[in-house]
Amino acid sequence: MAFVEWFEFQIPGKVICAENAVSQIGGELDKTGGTKAFLVTDEGVEKAGLTEKVIDGLGSGEAELVGTFKDVPPNSEIQVVQSCYDAAKAAGADCLISVGGGSVIDTTKGCALLMVEGGDLIDHQSAVYMPTGPVPPHIAVPTTAGTGSESTFAAVIKDAEQQVKLIFQGPELAPTIALLDPMMTLTLPSGLTAATGMDALTHCIEALHSEMHEPICDGLALHGIRLISEYLPRAVRDGSDVEARTYMMIAANMGGVAFANAFVGIVHAMAHSVGGRFGVPHGVANAILLPVGMEFNLRYVDEEVPSRYRMVADALGLDVDEVEDLDAAMKAIEFVRDLTVELNIPQRLSEVEVPEDGLEAVTEDAMVDGSMFNNPGEPEYEEVLELFKSAY
Ligand SMILES: [Fe+2]
């Protein structure tokens, strides 16, 4: 294991995990000082009756609900965040509740930023966000177990004009409370359960191979991998398995905290680009690209990638005691590939509406994606293009 000379680990907000935790959201909101709550969600979550549970839970406290925004698309956009902010401002909100997947939670982070700064969201991208005033309290209620966005410092928002995903980040963007309630994920269809779960697995594995890896994140990521390998297949097979849903929410959260500090790498850089340009769902893109990116990173022997993948293999429960690092790593990669087949996730980019003549454009986007800079080595353009072709 590489000698750790220096690292920084920051803990995001409070995490609460319990069956029916949303029934207590009002009391939790009171503790944050929020009094006028604005709820952000999407149509699917609303139709599934999940926002209603949260609104009922507000009765456990004093805060009143002053408005709702339910027009968040699967890959949120700058303009959506601006509209959400306009609605929250018009409603006189002083605190936020997000109920949904990563896109909803990230939209709400962007809204919180605009409630402090006003103006155009796009002016705040890339640099670390330093608020000029108090950021409003935000309780995130995830309805998927994948993004970990409820406990990360970043919001990924698409710039529709340029067809790329932009990253807004800073410790102050982490939600004040992550409210993990497995009952909020019971109605998530198996395909989405599988894809979002693979996003969580990708966070854990990329936090381990990132050049910013460090022991605290290693611990979170490795236990996340253990939980995902055990509970993701169960949650996909039977969506009403509350134990599996609970552990998947915890694993996704651990992966989120791990990558919020250690960051991710080439897999996310490539997944962001096919998501930004061709709308490939984030979890599906990661599931397709994770084994490809891992295999590529095996060349970074000096950065100890093979031995770090041995740790992954161990956490996956594979018997690798008697084999070399490289063979152990290959077993881990094979496991990941087999898992995506078992979970019935598309295997190739050609199956998810990425046009073959778009591979050069997504390569260009991936090369400048922020996640690429924390990969253990720096791939060349031609190498990334080859990876996209091999995943096509
Ligand atoms: Fe992700």
Side-chain angles (χ1 to χ4, degrees):
M1 186 178 292
F3 176 68
V4 179
E5 291 182 356
W6 181 89
F7 73 86
E8 186 177 297
F9 177 83
Q10 192 152 6
I11 297 170
K14 175 159 79 172
V15 176
I16 298 170
C17 179
E19 278 177 45
N20 299 310
V22 294
S23 66
Q24 299 304 314
I25 195 169
E28 290 301 327
L29 200 55
D30 287 351
K31 292 180 203 167
T32 70
T35 59
K36 295 183 187 315
F38 188 80
L39 192 148
V40 183
T41 189
D42 67 35
E43 228 172 272
V45 170
E46 167 92 354
K47 275 191 186 144
L50 298 174
T51 49
E52 212 176 298
K53 283 182 164 198
V54 175
I55 293 167
D56 286 349
L58 277 173
S60 62
E62 301 297 321
E64 62 167 319
L65 183 69
V66 294
T68 302
F69 182 85
K70 48 187 170 192
D71 299 328
V72 181
N75 287 305
S76 193
E77 299 177 3
I78 297 282
Q79 202 45 53
V80 174
V81 177
Q82 296 287 161
S83 304
C84 178
Y85 162 62
D86 289 342
K89 189 179 170 194
D94 66 6
C95 60
L96 297 162
I97 299 171
S98 53
V99 186
S103 184
V104 165
I105 298 172
D106 285 2
T107 299
T108 313
K109 289 175 180 174
C111 178
L113 183 155
L114 289 176
M115 283 168 74
V116 181
E117 314 297 339
D120 293 331
L121 184 65
I122 204 146
D123 295 335
H124 301 281
Q125 63 133 341
S126 278
V128 175
Y129 170 53
M130 306 282 278
T132 58
V135 178
H138 169 189
I139 299 186
V141 183
T143 57
T144 65
T147 70
S149 180
E150 71 278 3
S151 288
T152 70
F153 309 117
V156 182
I157 307 286
K158 186 171 156 181
D159 178 351
E161 260 173 49
Q162 303 199 45
Q163 295 292 299
V164 290
K165 287 191 169 185
L166 304 177
I167 298 175
F168 301 83
Q169 57 192 335
E172 309 281 348
L173 291 181
T176 323
I177 300 175
L179 203 69
L180 310 183
D181 182 344
M183 309 314 274
M184 298 293 280
T185 65
L186 294 188
T187 54
L188 191 69
S190 62
L192 277 172
T193 301
T196 49
M198 285 305 296
D199 185 28
L201 181 63
T202 309
H203 295 153
C204 292
I205 293 177
E206 289 225 277
L208 285 160
H209 72 197
S210 160
E211 66 169 10
M212 298 291 283
H213 70 79
E214 40 83 355
I216 300 177
C217 291
D218 287 355
L220 290 165
L222 288 168
H223 195 52
I225 291 169
R226 283 184 204 105
L227 293 176
I228 292 166
S229 65
E230 182 171 353
Y231 292 105
L232 179 57
R234 263 177 64 174
V236 170
R237 266 197 308 273
D238 176 8
S240 65
D241 182 337
V242 177
E243 186 185 43
R245 292 292 198 184
T246 305
Y247 278 114
M248 276 309 299
M249 292 206 95
I250 295 167
N253 190 262
M254 293 172 88
V257 179
F259 95 86
N261 284 279
F263 302 101
V264 282
I266 189 169
V267 181
H268 267 75
M270 293 173 71
H272 287 154
S273 61
V274 290
R277 215 166 259 274
F278 301 116
V280 182
H282 183 63
V284 172
N286 274 327
I288 294 171
L289 295 164
L290 178 58
V292 174
M294 288 175 78
E295 220 160 60
F296 176 80
N297 275 349
L298 280 177
R299 71 196 57 203
Y300 299 121
V301 176
D302 288 348
E303 289 76 13
E304 304 188 346
V305 171
S307 67
R308 300 203 57 84
Y309 289 169
R310 170 191 282 283
M311 293 159 67
V312 173
D314 259 329
L316 289 169
L318 304 173
D319 180 9
V320 290
D321 286 351
E322 306 293 326
V323 300
E324 299 290 324
D325 285 348
L326 202 59
D327 293 329
M330 289 307 294
K331 283 192 171 200
I333 295 167
E334 201 182 306
F335 181 99
V336 170
R337 238 184 216 120
D338 291 347
L339 180 63
T340 63
V341 173
E342 182 189 341
L343 298 179
N344 216 8
I345 296 176
Q347 297 294 302
R348 315 212 63 83
L349 293 174
S350 53
E351 294 171 45
V352 288
E353 296 180 22
V354 175
E356 198 166 4
D357 62 5
L359 296 185
E360 278 158 11
V362 290
T363 303
E364 279 160 30
D365 294 345
M367 293 304 291
V368 295
D369 185 278
S371 300
M372 194 63 100
F373 301 111
N374 294 301
N375 200 57
E378 288 172 25
E380 302 287 333
Y381 171 91
E382 288 301 332
E383 292 173 321
V384 176
L385 180 59
E386 278 311 307
L387 287 185
F388 273 122
K389 285 182 181 170
S390 72
Y392 193 74

